[in-house]
Amino acid sequence: VMKALGVDGWSPLDVEVVAGGERTELRLHNELRQRADDLGVTVTISISHLPTMAIAVAFASSRSPAPKEKLG
């Protein structure tokens, strides 16, 4: 999440995983929420685990559709 939003530091309490499994959802709070709003992005995560290890990947994607290229 930190790299996806381009921040140097944050409080772990500002990142909340509110659902798990195939429908993992992420809720941002305080400064991280403000940063995502300023950038106009939504942060999503993918989580996987084994009994002895876990991994998570965060993606920041634009909230608005990309502008269409003019053909011609």
Side-chain angles (χ1 to χ4, degrees):
V1 173
M2 188 170 102
K3 285 188 175 187
L5 294 177
V7 296
D8 291 327
W10 49 280
S11 168
L13 298 176
D14 289 345
V15 179
E16 179 183 5
V17 178
V18 293
E22 292 182 19
R23 296 185 172 260
T24 301
E25 293 181 28
L26 187 71
R27 188 174 295 147
L28 301 176
H29 301 281
N30 303 315
E31 293 177 20
L32 290 184
R33 168 122 185 188
Q34 185 61 53
R35 176 71 174 161
D37 289 344
D38 291 347
L39 294 173
V41 298
T42 298
V43 179
T44 56
I45 59 171
S46 176
I47 299 173
S48 184
H49 64 86
L50 295 170
T52 59
M53 68 179 99
I55 187 168
V57 179
F59 302 91
S61 56
S62 177
R63 292 181 188 155
S64 60
K68 293 181 181 179
E69 289 186 35
K70 292 184 179 180
L71 299 175

Short mmCIF file of all heavy atoms in Angstrom, two decimals:
data_model
loop_
_atom_site.label_atom_id
_atom_site.label_comp_id
_atom_site.label_asym_id
_atom_site.label_seq_id
_atom_site.Cartn_x
_atom_site.Cartn_y
_atom_site.Cartn_z
N VAL A 1 0.84 -1.18 0.00
CA VAL A 1 0.00 0.00 0.00
C VAL A 1 0.88 1.24 0.00
O VAL A 1 0.62 2.20 -0.70
CB VAL A 1 -0.97 0.00 1.21
CG1 VAL A 1 -1.72 1.31 1.31
CG2 VAL A 1 -1.94 -1.16 1.12
N MET A 2 1.95 1.19 0.80
CA MET A 2 2.85 2.32 0.90
C MET A 2 3.44 2.68 -0.47
O MET A 2 3.42 3.84 -0.87
CB MET A 2 3.97 1.97 1.89
CG MET A 2 4.88 3.09 2.25
SD MET A 2 5.94 2.61 3.62
CE MET A 2 7.43 2.25 2.76
N LYS A 3 3.94 1.70 -1.19
CA LYS A 3 4.53 1.97 -2.51
C LYS A 3 3.46 2.34 -3.53
O LYS A 3 3.69 3.17 -4.39
CB LYS A 3 5.33 0.76 -2.99
CG LYS A 3 6.64 0.62 -2.29
CD LYS A 3 7.48 -0.46 -2.94
CE LYS A 3 8.85 -0.49 -2.30
NZ LYS A 3 9.74 -1.41 -3.01
N ALA A 4 2.30 1.70 -3.45
CA ALA A 4 1.23 2.00 -4.41
C ALA A 4 0.80 3.47 -4.32
O ALA A 4 0.45 4.08 -5.32
CB ALA A 4 0.03 1.08 -4.18
N LEU A 5 0.86 4.03 -3.10
CA LEU A 5 0.47 5.43 -2.91
C LEU A 5 1.66 6.37 -2.89
O LEU A 5 1.49 7.59 -2.81
CB LEU A 5 -0.33 5.57 -1.60
CG LEU A 5 -1.68 4.88 -1.59
CD1 LEU A 5 -2.34 5.03 -0.23
CD2 LEU A 5 -2.58 5.46 -2.68
N GLY A 6 2.87 5.83 -2.94
CA GLY A 6 4.06 6.67 -2.98
C GLY A 6 4.31 7.45 -1.70
O GLY A 6 4.68 8.61 -1.75
N VAL A 7 4.11 6.82 -0.55
CA VAL A 7 4.35 7.48 0.73
C VAL A 7 5.56 6.85 1.41
O VAL A 7 5.89 5.69 1.19
CB VAL A 7 3.11 7.42 1.66
CG1 VAL A 7 1.94 8.18 1.06
CG2 VAL A 7 2.71 5.99 1.96
N ASP A 8 6.21 7.64 2.26
CA ASP A 8 7.41 7.16 2.96
C ASP A 8 7.10 6.38 4.22
O ASP A 8 7.87 5.54 4.64
CB ASP A 8 8.31 8.34 3.32
CG ASP A 8 8.93 8.99 2.10
OD1 ASP A 8 9.20 8.27 1.12
OD2 ASP A 8 9.13 10.21 2.11
N GLY A 9 5.99 6.66 4.85
CA GLY A 9 5.64 5.97 6.08
C GLY A 9 4.16 6.13 6.37
O GLY A 9 3.50 7.01 5.80
N TRP A 10 3.64 5.27 7.25
CA TRP A 10 2.21 5.31 7.57
C TRP A 10 1.98 4.51 8.83
O TRP A 10 2.81 3.73 9.26
CB TRP A 10 1.38 4.77 6.41
CG TRP A 10 1.88 3.45 5.91
CD1 TRP A 10 2.91 3.22 5.06
CD2 TRP A 10 1.37 2.14 6.25
NE1 TRP A 10 3.08 1.87 4.84
CE2 TRP A 10 2.15 1.18 5.57
CE3 TRP A 10 0.34 1.70 7.06
CZ2 TRP A 10 1.93 -0.18 5.67
CZ3 TRP A 10 0.14 0.33 7.16
CH2 TRP A 10 0.92 -0.58 6.46
N SER A 11 0.82 4.68 9.37
CA SER A 11 0.43 3.92 10.55
C SER A 11 -0.27 2.64 10.09
O SER A 11 -1.17 2.70 9.25
CB SER A 11 -0.52 4.72 11.43
OG SER A 11 -1.12 3.89 12.40
N PRO A 12 0.10 1.48 10.63
CA PRO A 12 -0.59 0.24 10.26
C PRO A 12 -2.09 0.30 10.54
O PRO A 12 -2.86 -0.41 9.89
CB PRO A 12 0.08 -0.82 11.13
CG PRO A 12 1.40 -0.25 11.49
CD PRO A 12 1.21 1.24 11.53
N LEU A 13 -2.51 1.16 11.44
CA LEU A 13 -3.94 1.29 11.73
C LEU A 13 -4.70 2.00 10.62
O LEU A 13 -5.93 2.02 10.61
CB LEU A 13 -4.14 2.02 13.06
CG LEU A 13 -3.56 1.31 14.29
CD1 LEU A 13 -3.73 2.18 15.53
CD2 LEU A 13 -4.20 -0.04 14.48
N ASP A 14 -3.98 2.60 9.67
CA ASP A 14 -4.62 3.30 8.55
C ASP A 14 -4.97 2.38 7.40
O ASP A 14 -5.56 2.80 6.42
CB ASP A 14 -3.73 4.43 8.05
CG ASP A 14 -3.66 5.59 9.03
OD1 ASP A 14 -4.50 5.64 9.95
OD2 ASP A 14 -2.78 6.46 8.87
N VAL A 15 -4.60 1.10 7.48
CA VAL A 15 -4.93 0.10 6.46
C VAL A 15 -5.75 -0.99 7.13
O VAL A 15 -5.28 -1.65 8.04
CB VAL A 15 -3.66 -0.50 5.83
CG1 VAL A 15 -4.04 -1.54 4.79
CG2 VAL A 15 -2.79 0.58 5.22
N GLU A 16 -6.97 -1.18 6.64
CA GLU A 16 -7.87 -2.18 7.24
C GLU A 16 -8.33 -3.15 6.18
O GLU A 16 -8.87 -2.75 5.14
CB GLU A 16 -9.06 -1.45 7.85
CG GLU A 16 -10.08 -2.33 8.48
CD GLU A 16 -11.27 -1.56 9.02
OE1 GLU A 16 -11.36 -0.34 8.82
OE2 GLU A 16 -12.13 -2.22 9.64
N VAL A 17 -8.11 -4.43 6.40
CA VAL A 17 -8.65 -5.47 5.52
C VAL A 17 -10.01 -5.83 6.09
O VAL A 17 -10.11 -6.34 7.20
CB VAL A 17 -7.72 -6.69 5.46
CG1 VAL A 17 -8.33 -7.78 4.58
CG2 VAL A 17 -6.34 -6.28 4.95
N VAL A 18 -11.08 -5.54 5.32
CA VAL A 18 -12.44 -5.71 5.85
C VAL A 18 -13.14 -6.96 5.35
O VAL A 18 -14.23 -7.26 5.79
CB VAL A 18 -13.30 -4.45 5.57
CG1 VAL A 18 -12.77 -3.28 6.36
CG2 VAL A 18 -13.35 -4.12 4.10
N ALA A 19 -12.54 -7.66 4.43
CA ALA A 19 -13.11 -8.92 3.95
C ALA A 19 -11.96 -9.78 3.46
O ALA A 19 -10.88 -9.27 3.17
CB ALA A 19 -14.12 -8.66 2.84
N GLY A 20 -12.18 -11.06 3.36
CA GLY A 20 -11.12 -11.94 2.91
C GLY A 20 -11.58 -12.87 1.81
O GLY A 20 -12.67 -12.71 1.27
N GLY A 21 -10.75 -13.82 1.50
CA GLY A 21 -11.09 -14.78 0.45
C GLY A 21 -11.02 -14.15 -0.92
O GLY A 21 -10.20 -13.28 -1.17
N GLU A 22 -11.89 -14.59 -1.79
CA GLU A 22 -11.89 -14.08 -3.17
C GLU A 22 -12.35 -12.64 -3.27
O GLU A 22 -12.12 -11.98 -4.26
CB GLU A 22 -12.77 -14.97 -4.05
CG GLU A 22 -12.20 -16.35 -4.24
CD GLU A 22 -13.06 -17.20 -5.14
OE1 GLU A 22 -13.87 -16.64 -5.90
OE2 GLU A 22 -12.92 -18.43 -5.08
N ARG A 23 -13.02 -12.15 -2.24
CA ARG A 23 -13.53 -10.77 -2.26
C ARG A 23 -12.82 -9.90 -1.22
O ARG A 23 -13.46 -9.17 -0.48
CB ARG A 23 -15.03 -10.76 -2.04
CG ARG A 23 -15.78 -11.45 -3.14
CD ARG A 23 -17.28 -11.31 -2.92
NE ARG A 23 -17.99 -11.80 -4.07
CZ ARG A 23 -18.49 -11.02 -5.01
NH1 ARG A 23 -18.37 -9.73 -4.93
NH2 ARG A 23 -19.13 -11.54 -6.03
N THR A 24 -11.52 -9.99 -1.18
CA THR A 24 -10.75 -9.19 -0.23
C THR A 24 -10.99 -7.71 -0.49
O THR A 24 -10.92 -7.25 -1.63
CB THR A 24 -9.26 -9.51 -0.35
OG1 THR A 24 -9.07 -10.89 -0.10
CG2 THR A 24 -8.45 -8.71 0.64
N GLU A 25 -11.32 -6.98 0.56
CA GLU A 25 -11.54 -5.54 0.44
C GLU A 25 -10.60 -4.81 1.38
O GLU A 25 -10.23 -5.32 2.43
CB GLU A 25 -12.99 -5.20 0.79
CG GLU A 25 -13.98 -5.73 -0.22
CD GLU A 25 -15.40 -5.34 0.14
OE1 GLU A 25 -15.59 -4.29 0.79
OE2 GLU A 25 -16.30 -6.10 -0.20
N LEU A 26 -10.24 -3.61 0.99
CA LEU A 26 -9.32 -2.79 1.75
C LEU A 26 -10.00 -1.46 2.06
O LEU A 26 -10.65 -0.88 1.19
CB LEU A 26 -8.06 -2.55 0.90
CG LEU A 26 -6.90 -1.85 1.55
CD1 LEU A 26 -6.25 -2.78 2.57
CD2 LEU A 26 -5.88 -1.46 0.50
N ARG A 27 -9.85 -0.99 3.27
CA ARG A 27 -10.37 0.32 3.66
C ARG A 27 -9.20 1.15 4.19
O ARG A 27 -8.46 0.71 5.06
CB ARG A 27 -11.44 0.17 4.74
CG ARG A 27 -12.16 1.47 5.04
CD ARG A 27 -13.31 1.25 6.01
NE ARG A 27 -14.32 0.40 5.39
CZ ARG A 27 -15.08 -0.47 6.05
NH1 ARG A 27 -14.93 -0.61 7.35
NH2 ARG A 27 -15.96 -1.21 5.43
N LEU A 28 -9.01 2.34 3.62
CA LEU A 28 -7.94 3.23 4.04
C LEU A 28 -8.49 4.29 4.97
O LEU A 28 -9.63 4.74 4.82
CB LEU A 28 -7.29 3.90 2.83
CG LEU A 28 -6.68 2.96 1.79
CD1 LEU A 28 -6.15 3.76 0.61
CD2 LEU A 28 -5.59 2.11 2.40
N HIS A 29 -7.66 4.74 5.92
CA HIS A 29 -8.07 5.74 6.88
C HIS A 29 -7.04 6.87 6.93
O HIS A 29 -5.89 6.70 6.53
CB HIS A 29 -8.19 5.11 8.28
CG HIS A 29 -9.18 3.99 8.35
ND1 HIS A 29 -10.54 4.20 8.43
CD2 HIS A 29 -9.00 2.65 8.32
CE1 HIS A 29 -11.16 3.03 8.47
NE2 HIS A 29 -10.25 2.07 8.40
N ASN A 30 -7.47 8.00 7.46
CA ASN A 30 -6.61 9.15 7.77
C ASN A 30 -5.74 9.58 6.59
O ASN A 30 -6.26 9.82 5.52
CB ASN A 30 -5.78 8.86 9.02
CG ASN A 30 -6.67 8.53 10.21
OD1 ASN A 30 -7.66 9.21 10.45
ND2 ASN A 30 -6.34 7.47 10.92
N GLU A 31 -4.42 9.68 6.79
CA GLU A 31 -3.53 10.21 5.76
C GLU A 31 -3.50 9.36 4.49
O GLU A 31 -3.39 9.90 3.39
CB GLU A 31 -2.11 10.36 6.31
CG GLU A 31 -2.01 11.42 7.39
CD GLU A 31 -0.62 11.51 8.00
OE1 GLU A 31 0.35 11.05 7.38
OE2 GLU A 31 -0.53 12.04 9.12
N LEU A 32 -3.61 8.05 4.63
CA LEU A 32 -3.60 7.20 3.43
C LEU A 32 -4.87 7.40 2.61
O LEU A 32 -4.82 7.41 1.38
CB LEU A 32 -3.43 5.73 3.81
CG LEU A 32 -2.06 5.34 4.34
CD1 LEU A 32 -2.00 3.84 4.58
CD2 LEU A 32 -0.95 5.77 3.40
N ARG A 33 -5.99 7.57 3.28
CA ARG A 33 -7.24 7.85 2.54
C ARG A 33 -7.13 9.17 1.80
O ARG A 33 -7.52 9.29 0.65
CB ARG A 33 -8.41 7.86 3.51
CG ARG A 33 -9.67 8.41 2.89
CD ARG A 33 -10.76 7.47 2.93
NE ARG A 33 -11.90 8.01 2.22
CZ ARG A 33 -13.04 7.44 2.23
NH1 ARG A 33 -13.22 6.35 2.89
NH2 ARG A 33 -14.03 7.94 1.55
N GLN A 34 -6.58 10.17 2.48
CA GLN A 34 -6.42 11.49 1.86
C GLN A 34 -5.48 11.41 0.66
O GLN A 34 -5.74 12.00 -0.38
CB GLN A 34 -5.89 12.51 2.86
CG GLN A 34 -5.81 13.92 2.31
CD GLN A 34 -7.15 14.46 1.89
OE1 GLN A 34 -8.10 14.44 2.65
NE2 GLN A 34 -7.24 14.94 0.66
N ARG A 35 -4.41 10.66 0.79
CA ARG A 35 -3.45 10.51 -0.31
C ARG A 35 -4.11 9.83 -1.51
O ARG A 35 -3.95 10.25 -2.65
CB ARG A 35 -2.24 9.70 0.16
CG ARG A 35 -1.23 9.39 -0.90
CD ARG A 35 -0.47 10.61 -1.34
NE ARG A 35 0.59 10.17 -2.26
CZ ARG A 35 1.20 10.96 -3.08
NH1 ARG A 35 0.91 12.25 -3.10
NH2 ARG A 35 2.12 10.50 -3.89
N ALA A 36 -4.87 8.77 -1.27
CA ALA A 36 -5.58 8.09 -2.36
C ALA A 36 -6.58 9.04 -3.02
O ALA A 36 -6.69 9.07 -4.25
CB ALA A 36 -6.28 6.84 -1.84
N ASP A 37 -7.29 9.83 -2.22
CA ASP A 37 -8.23 10.81 -2.77
C ASP A 37 -7.51 11.86 -3.60
O ASP A 37 -7.96 12.22 -4.69
CB ASP A 37 -9.02 11.48 -1.65
CG ASP A 37 -10.03 10.56 -0.99
OD1 ASP A 37 -10.35 9.49 -1.57
OD2 ASP A 37 -10.51 10.91 0.11
N ASP A 38 -6.38 12.35 -3.10
CA ASP A 38 -5.60 13.36 -3.83
C ASP A 38 -5.12 12.82 -5.17
O ASP A 38 -5.08 13.55 -6.16
CB ASP A 38 -4.39 13.82 -3.01
CG ASP A 38 -4.77 14.64 -1.79
OD1 ASP A 38 -5.94 15.08 -1.68
OD2 ASP A 38 -3.89 14.85 -0.93
N LEU A 39 -4.73 11.54 -5.21
CA LEU A 39 -4.25 10.92 -6.44
C LEU A 39 -5.40 10.46 -7.35
O LEU A 39 -5.18 10.14 -8.51
CB LEU A 39 -3.36 9.72 -6.12
CG LEU A 39 -2.04 10.03 -5.43
CD1 LEU A 39 -1.35 8.72 -5.01
CD2 LEU A 39 -1.13 10.84 -6.33
N GLY A 40 -6.61 10.38 -6.80
CA GLY A 40 -7.75 9.89 -7.57
C GLY A 40 -7.68 8.41 -7.86
O GLY A 40 -8.06 7.97 -8.95
N VAL A 41 -7.17 7.64 -6.88
CA VAL A 41 -7.01 6.20 -7.09
C VAL A 41 -7.77 5.39 -6.06
O VAL A 41 -8.09 5.88 -4.97
CB VAL A 41 -5.52 5.78 -7.07
CG1 VAL A 41 -4.75 6.44 -8.18
CG2 VAL A 41 -4.87 6.05 -5.72
N THR A 42 -8.04 4.16 -6.41
CA THR A 42 -8.57 3.16 -5.50
C THR A 42 -7.49 2.11 -5.31
O THR A 42 -6.87 1.68 -6.29
CB THR A 42 -9.83 2.50 -6.09
OG1 THR A 42 -10.82 3.50 -6.27
CG2 THR A 42 -10.37 1.41 -5.18
N VAL A 43 -7.25 1.71 -4.07
CA VAL A 43 -6.23 0.70 -3.79
C VAL A 43 -6.93 -0.62 -3.50
O VAL A 43 -7.83 -0.69 -2.67
CB VAL A 43 -5.34 1.11 -2.60
CG1 VAL A 43 -4.30 0.03 -2.31
CG2 VAL A 43 -4.66 2.45 -2.86
N THR A 44 -6.51 -1.66 -4.21
CA THR A 44 -7.02 -3.01 -3.98
C THR A 44 -5.84 -3.91 -3.64
O THR A 44 -4.69 -3.57 -3.95
CB THR A 44 -7.76 -3.55 -5.21
OG1 THR A 44 -6.89 -3.50 -6.34
CG2 THR A 44 -9.01 -2.74 -5.50
N ILE A 45 -6.12 -5.03 -3.01
CA ILE A 45 -5.05 -5.95 -2.65
C ILE A 45 -5.40 -7.38 -3.04
O ILE A 45 -6.56 -7.72 -3.18
CB ILE A 45 -4.72 -5.90 -1.14
CG1 ILE A 45 -5.93 -6.26 -0.29
CG2 ILE A 45 -4.12 -4.57 -0.75
CD1 ILE A 45 -5.61 -6.44 1.18
N SER A 46 -4.35 -8.15 -3.19
CA SER A 46 -4.49 -9.59 -3.39
C SER A 46 -3.64 -10.25 -2.31
O SER A 46 -2.49 -9.87 -2.11
CB SER A 46 -3.99 -9.99 -4.78
OG SER A 46 -4.04 -11.39 -4.94
N ILE A 47 -4.21 -11.21 -1.60
CA ILE A 47 -3.52 -11.87 -0.50
C ILE A 47 -3.50 -13.37 -0.76
O ILE A 47 -4.49 -13.95 -1.21
CB ILE A 47 -4.24 -11.60 0.84
CG1 ILE A 47 -4.25 -10.11 1.15
CG2 ILE A 47 -3.58 -12.37 1.97
CD1 ILE A 47 -5.08 -9.75 2.38
N SER A 48 -2.36 -13.99 -0.47
CA SER A 48 -2.24 -15.44 -0.57
C SER A 48 -1.41 -15.93 0.61
O SER A 48 -0.59 -15.19 1.15
CB SER A 48 -1.55 -15.82 -1.88
OG SER A 48 -1.50 -17.22 -2.03
N HIS A 49 -1.63 -17.18 1.02
CA HIS A 49 -0.86 -17.68 2.15
C HIS A 49 -0.75 -19.20 2.12
O HIS A 49 -1.55 -19.90 1.51
CB HIS A 49 -1.48 -17.24 3.48
CG HIS A 49 -2.86 -17.79 3.70
ND1 HIS A 49 -3.09 -19.01 4.27
CD2 HIS A 49 -4.06 -17.27 3.41
CE1 HIS A 49 -4.38 -19.23 4.33
NE2 HIS A 49 -5.01 -18.19 3.81
N LEU A 50 0.30 -19.65 2.78
CA LEU A 50 0.54 -21.06 3.07
C LEU A 50 0.68 -21.16 4.58
O LEU A 50 0.75 -20.12 5.26
CB LEU A 50 1.82 -21.54 2.38
CG LEU A 50 1.80 -21.53 0.85
CD1 LEU A 50 3.20 -21.79 0.31
CD2 LEU A 50 0.82 -22.56 0.33
N PRO A 51 0.77 -22.33 5.14
CA PRO A 51 0.89 -22.43 6.61
C PRO A 51 2.10 -21.67 7.18
O PRO A 51 2.05 -21.19 8.30
CB PRO A 51 1.01 -23.93 6.87
CG PRO A 51 0.29 -24.56 5.73
CD PRO A 51 0.57 -23.67 4.55
N THR A 52 3.18 -21.54 6.39
CA THR A 52 4.39 -20.92 6.94
C THR A 52 4.73 -19.56 6.35
O THR A 52 5.73 -18.96 6.72
CB THR A 52 5.60 -21.84 6.73
OG1 THR A 52 5.75 -22.09 5.32
CG2 THR A 52 5.41 -23.16 7.47
N MET A 53 3.94 -19.05 5.40
CA MET A 53 4.25 -17.75 4.81
C MET A 53 3.00 -17.11 4.21
O MET A 53 2.00 -17.78 3.96
CB MET A 53 5.34 -17.88 3.76
CG MET A 53 4.93 -18.64 2.52
SD MET A 53 6.26 -18.73 1.33
CE MET A 53 6.85 -20.36 1.68
N ALA A 54 3.11 -15.80 4.00
CA ALA A 54 2.00 -15.06 3.40
C ALA A 54 2.58 -13.97 2.50
O ALA A 54 3.71 -13.52 2.68
CB ALA A 54 1.12 -14.44 4.47
N ILE A 55 1.77 -13.53 1.52
CA ILE A 55 2.17 -12.46 0.63
C ILE A 55 0.94 -11.61 0.32
O ILE A 55 -0.19 -12.12 0.28
CB ILE A 55 2.80 -13.01 -0.67
CG1 ILE A 55 3.37 -11.87 -1.51
CG2 ILE A 55 1.80 -13.84 -1.44
CD1 ILE A 55 4.24 -12.34 -2.65
N ALA A 56 1.17 -10.33 0.13
CA ALA A 56 0.11 -9.42 -0.28
C ALA A 56 0.67 -8.46 -1.32
O ALA A 56 1.82 -8.03 -1.23
CB ALA A 56 -0.44 -8.65 0.91
N VAL A 57 -0.14 -8.13 -2.32
CA VAL A 57 0.24 -7.18 -3.36
C VAL A 57 -0.85 -6.13 -3.43
O VAL A 57 -2.04 -6.46 -3.43
CB VAL A 57 0.38 -7.89 -4.73
CG1 VAL A 57 0.73 -6.89 -5.82
CG2 VAL A 57 1.40 -8.99 -4.67
N ALA A 58 -0.44 -4.85 -3.46
CA ALA A 58 -1.40 -3.76 -3.55
C ALA A 58 -1.33 -3.12 -4.93
O ALA A 58 -0.25 -2.97 -5.51
CB ALA A 58 -1.09 -2.71 -2.49
N PHE A 59 -2.51 -2.76 -5.46
CA PHE A 59 -2.62 -2.12 -6.76
C PHE A 59 -3.36 -0.79 -6.59
O PHE A 59 -4.40 -0.75 -5.93
CB PHE A 59 -3.43 -2.98 -7.73
CG PHE A 59 -2.87 -4.35 -7.94
CD1 PHE A 59 -3.28 -5.41 -7.13
CD2 PHE A 59 -1.95 -4.60 -8.93
CE1 PHE A 59 -2.77 -6.68 -7.32
CE2 PHE A 59 -1.42 -5.87 -9.12
CZ PHE A 59 -1.85 -6.91 -8.32
N ALA A 60 -2.83 0.27 -7.18
CA ALA A 60 -3.53 1.56 -7.20
C ALA A 60 -4.03 1.77 -8.62
O ALA A 60 -3.25 1.76 -9.57
CB ALA A 60 -2.60 2.69 -6.79
N SER A 61 -5.34 1.93 -8.77
CA SER A 61 -5.91 2.14 -10.10
C SER A 61 -6.76 3.41 -10.11
O SER A 61 -7.36 3.78 -9.11
CB SER A 61 -6.74 0.94 -10.53
OG SER A 61 -7.73 0.66 -9.58
N SER A 62 -6.77 4.06 -11.25
CA SER A 62 -7.49 5.31 -11.41
C SER A 62 -8.99 5.11 -11.21
O SER A 62 -9.56 4.11 -11.64
CB SER A 62 -7.23 5.87 -12.81
OG SER A 62 -7.98 7.05 -13.01
N ARG A 63 -9.62 6.06 -10.54
CA ARG A 63 -11.08 5.99 -10.34
C ARG A 63 -11.85 6.41 -11.58
O ARG A 63 -13.01 6.07 -11.73
CB ARG A 63 -11.48 6.91 -9.18
CG ARG A 63 -10.99 6.41 -7.86
CD ARG A 63 -11.43 7.34 -6.75
NE ARG A 63 -10.79 6.95 -5.50
CZ ARG A 63 -10.59 7.77 -4.50
NH1 ARG A 63 -11.00 9.03 -4.58
NH2 ARG A 63 -9.99 7.35 -3.41
N SER A 64 -11.21 7.17 -12.46
CA SER A 64 -11.90 7.63 -13.67
C SER A 64 -11.33 6.88 -14.88
O SER A 64 -10.16 6.50 -14.88
CB SER A 64 -11.72 9.13 -13.86
OG SER A 64 -10.35 9.45 -13.98
N PRO A 65 -12.15 6.68 -15.89
CA PRO A 65 -11.66 5.95 -17.07
C PRO A 65 -10.57 6.75 -17.76
O PRO A 65 -10.57 7.98 -17.75
CB PRO A 65 -12.90 5.81 -17.93
CG PRO A 65 -13.90 6.76 -17.41
CD PRO A 65 -13.53 7.09 -16.00
N ALA A 66 -9.65 6.04 -18.39
CA ALA A 66 -8.58 6.69 -19.15
C ALA A 66 -9.19 7.40 -20.34
O ALA A 66 -10.16 6.93 -20.94
CB ALA A 66 -7.57 5.65 -19.59
N PRO A 67 -8.61 8.55 -20.73
CA PRO A 67 -9.15 9.25 -21.91
C PRO A 67 -8.97 8.41 -23.16
O PRO A 67 -7.96 7.73 -23.32
CB PRO A 67 -8.30 10.53 -21.97
CG PRO A 67 -7.19 10.36 -21.01
CD PRO A 67 -7.50 9.21 -20.12
N LYS A 68 -9.95 8.46 -24.03
CA LYS A 68 -9.89 7.69 -25.27
C LYS A 68 -9.01 8.43 -26.28
O LYS A 68 -9.07 9.66 -26.39
CB LYS A 68 -11.30 7.51 -25.86
CG LYS A 68 -12.18 6.63 -25.01
CD LYS A 68 -13.53 6.46 -25.65
CE LYS A 68 -14.42 5.60 -24.77
NZ LYS A 68 -15.75 5.44 -25.34
N GLU A 69 -8.21 7.67 -27.01
CA GLU A 69 -7.38 8.26 -28.05
C GLU A 69 -8.25 8.60 -29.24
O GLU A 69 -9.17 7.87 -29.58
CB GLU A 69 -6.30 7.28 -28.49
CG GLU A 69 -5.22 7.06 -27.48
CD GLU A 69 -4.11 6.19 -28.06
OE1 GLU A 69 -3.81 6.30 -29.26
OE2 GLU A 69 -3.57 5.38 -27.30
N LYS A 70 -7.91 9.72 -29.88
CA LYS A 70 -8.63 10.08 -31.10
C LYS A 70 -8.01 9.35 -32.27
O LYS A 70 -6.79 9.36 -32.44
CB LYS A 70 -8.56 11.59 -31.33
CG LYS A 70 -9.33 12.37 -30.29
CD LYS A 70 -9.30 13.84 -30.62
CE LYS A 70 -10.10 14.60 -29.59
NZ LYS A 70 -10.11 16.03 -29.87
N LEU A 71 -8.83 8.69 -33.00
CA LEU A 71 -8.36 7.98 -34.18
C LEU A 71 -8.53 8.89 -35.38
O LEU A 71 -9.52 9.62 -35.50
CB LEU A 71 -9.14 6.68 -34.40
CG LEU A 71 -9.04 5.67 -33.26
CD1 LEU A 71 -9.96 4.49 -33.55
CD2 LEU A 71 -7.62 5.19 -33.09
N GLY A 72 -7.59 8.83 -36.31
CA GLY A 72 -7.83 9.62 -37.48
C GLY A 72 -6.67 9.96 -38.20
O GLY A 72 -6.15 10.25 -39.03
#
